[in-house]
């Protein structure tokens, strides 16, 4: 038996081959048992906690593939053997490739973990954004696997410089052909991340306005007040001056009214106080100012400013109506008459006769 164990076999002694096989089996069993125990322990912790880190670790451990464990075990067993340079190089390349592929599965699991929870959280109130996130997650996974493939080919001795150059030229040609699509896709990502608006917001873009119904990868759909659907490309939408009325915390309202020049100054002095009292008596508003603004051609113009402490348009209109009615009632009680446009023509005596003589 001793002679058999000491006999050479393919460049190594028999006992070295047996030791290598033993190390491979022992390492593989140890890693498998350790992973199962760790997963079971982390799962119990995850069931008792609300954090997501332990859930993520369980998910990533489940993504650990058999080939990585086997390659690690084989690499550990090879330490007991004297292998040719080609075999050692092949084993090293296999280990690196297995590690790269496993890193791809772990990264894929990380992206999936984040997407699943983000989409589930946003599905109820922003289904379109959740759909866009899922599509962008697919693009992220695609880019990840392309990078891993290129690195794996490079470790296998493939000259990827020409390949990358070819992909670069092809990518430039494709990008030039679909640059508007890429622009809209990245604009969609910007809308999702930066949130200049969300579904349900009332926005205005130039002269067009409406309520956001859907945010897609390329376009955003807006329902106008008159009922039709407006479709904006995401790139053009972000390049425009966009007003989001749902982000308002209050509304500033300015209006003017006019009194006749015959109104006594004692009444004019009382007007700002009367207007202030009428506005302050209206709930949900804040008085700012009321001033005699200008001397117009035929009237004295007052300007009034107040704030509605709500972004709701109906509440704004209700408050405005209540204030206007309160001002009218106050002016009626105080016998203050609002002016209307008038023109006074003054004829001097003798003007007409002199004109008739000039014509003769």
């Amino acid at each position: 038996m001793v002679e058999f164990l000491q006999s050479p076999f393919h460049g190594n002694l028999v006992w070295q081959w047996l030791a290598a096989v033993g190390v491979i089996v022992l390492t593989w069993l140890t890693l498998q048992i350790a992973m199962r125990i760790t997963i079971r322990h982390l799962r119990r912790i995850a069931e008792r906690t609300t954090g997501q880190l332990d859930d993520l670790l369980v998910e990533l451990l489940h993504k650990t593939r058999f080939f990585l464990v086997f390659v690690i075990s084989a690499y550990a067993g090879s330490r007991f053997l004297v292998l040719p340079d080609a075999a050692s190089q092949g084993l090293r390349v296999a280990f690196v490739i297995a590690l790269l592929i496993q890193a791809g599965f772990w990264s894929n699991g990380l992206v999936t973990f984040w997407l699943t929870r983000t989409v589930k959280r946003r599905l109820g109130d922003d289904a379109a954004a959740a759909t866009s996130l899922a599509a962008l997650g697919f693009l992220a996974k695609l880019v990840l696997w392309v990078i891993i493939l290129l690195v794996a080919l490079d470790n296998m001795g493939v000259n990827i410089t020409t390949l990358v150059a070819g992909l670069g030229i092809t990518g430039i040609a494709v990008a030039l052909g679909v640059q508007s699509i890429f622009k809209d896709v990245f604009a969609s990502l910007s809308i999702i991340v930066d949130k200049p608006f969300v579904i349900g917001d009332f926005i205005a873009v130039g002269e067009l306005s409406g309520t956001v119904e859907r945010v897609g990868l390329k376009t955003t759909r807006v329902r106008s007040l008159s009922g039709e659907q407006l479709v904006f490309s995401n790139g053009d939408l972000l390049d425009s001056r966009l007003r989001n009325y749902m982000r308002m915390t209050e509304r500033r309202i300015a209006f003017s009214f006019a009194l006749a020049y015959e109104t006594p100054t004692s009444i004019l002095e009382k007007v700002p106080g009367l207007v202030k009292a009428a506005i302050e008596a209206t709930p949900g508003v804040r008085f700012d100012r009321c001033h005699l603004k200008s001397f117009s051609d035929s009237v004295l113009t007052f300007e009034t400013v107040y704030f509605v402490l709500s972004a709701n348009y109906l509440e704004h209109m209700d408050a405005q109506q209540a204030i206007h009615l309160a001002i009218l009632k106050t002016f009626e009680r105080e016998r203050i008459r609002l002016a209307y446009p008038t023109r006074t023509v003054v004829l001097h005596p003798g003007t007409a006769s002199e004109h008739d003589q000039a014509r003769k």
Side-chain angles (χ1 to χ4, degrees), residues 2 14 41 53 55 92 138 178 180 201 239 305:
V2 175
V14 172
H41 182 67
L53 180 59
D55 296 326
R92 188 192 68 81
F138 170 76
V178 295
S180 61
D201 283 358
D239 289 339
V305 177

Side-chain angles (χ1 to χ4, degrees), residues 38-39 42-43 52-64 106 113:
T38 304
I39 291 174
L42 286 175
R43 186 179 288 115
Q52 296 186 356
L53 180 59
D54 42 15
D55 296 326
L56 175 60
L57 291 176
V58 172
E59 185 72 20
L60 294 182
L61 285 175
H62 272 299
K63 294 290 182 180
T64 304
W106 282 334
F113 181 85

Side-chain angles (χ1 to χ4, degrees), residues 243-314:
R243 290 177 289 173
N244 190 338
Y245 288 97
M246 298 302 291
R247 303 291 171 86
M248 296 173 63
T249 56
E250 58 185 20
R251 290 177 180 266
R252 181 182 183 272
I253 310 299
F255 70 96
S256 300
F257 60 88
L259 302 181
Y261 272 101
E262 292 79 12
T263 306
T265 55
S266 58
I267 298 296
L268 296 176
E269 291 175 347
K270 293 171 57 179
V271 168
L274 295 173
V275 173
K276 178 180 180 181
I279 293 177
E280 290 182 342
T282 305
V285 299
R286 184 179 75 251
F287 175 78
D288 186 51
R289 62 181 179 84
C290 179
H291 294 97
L292 177 58
K293 178 183 177 182
S294 62
F295 298 95
S296 302
D297 292 340
S298 57
V299 295
L300 299 170
T301 303
F302 282 82
E303 183 180 68
T304 303
V305 177
Y306 65 92
F307 290 88
V308 178
L309 306 180
S310 172
N312 187 280
Y313 185 75
L314 292 179

Side-chain angles (χ1 to χ4, degrees), residues 110-237:
L110 181 62
V111 173
T112 303
F113 181 85
W114 176 77
L115 277 178
T116 301
R117 278 150 181 78
T118 304
V119 169
K120 187 182 298 183
R121 187 172 62 251
R122 302 188 62 173
L123 195 58
D125 56 354
D126 198 353
T131 304
S132 300
L133 275 174
L136 291 172
F138 170 76
L139 293 177
K141 293 176 183 178
L142 179 62
V143 172
L144 172 68
W145 283 109
V146 168
I147 294 175
I148 289 175
L149 176 62
L150 292 175
V151 176
L153 289 175
D154 182 61
N155 279 273
M156 292 172 64
V158 178
N159 186 5
I160 64 171
T161 304
T162 306
L163 179 61
V164 171
L167 290 175
I169 295 173
T170 305
I172 292 173
V174 172
L176 290 175
V178 295
Q179 57 181 334
S180 61
I181 297 177
F182 285 152
K183 177 183 178 182
D184 292 331
V185 170
F186 285 113
S188 173
L189 177 61
S190 177
I191 292 172
I192 293 170
V193 175
D194 193 46
K195 296 183 181 65
F197 56 84
V198 296
I199 291 177
D201 283 358
F202 188 89
I203 64 173
V205 184
E207 297 180 354
L208 303 175
S209 60
T211 303
V212 179
E213 286 189 335
R214 181 179 182 275
V215 180
L217 277 178
K218 180 169 173 51
T219 60
T220 293
R221 315 294 173 87
V222 177
R223 183 68 61 181
S224 71
L225 291 175
S226 54
E228 72 272 17
Q229 188 181 69
L230 307 174
V231 181
F232 300 92
S233 67
N234 292 327
D236 293 340
L237 195 61

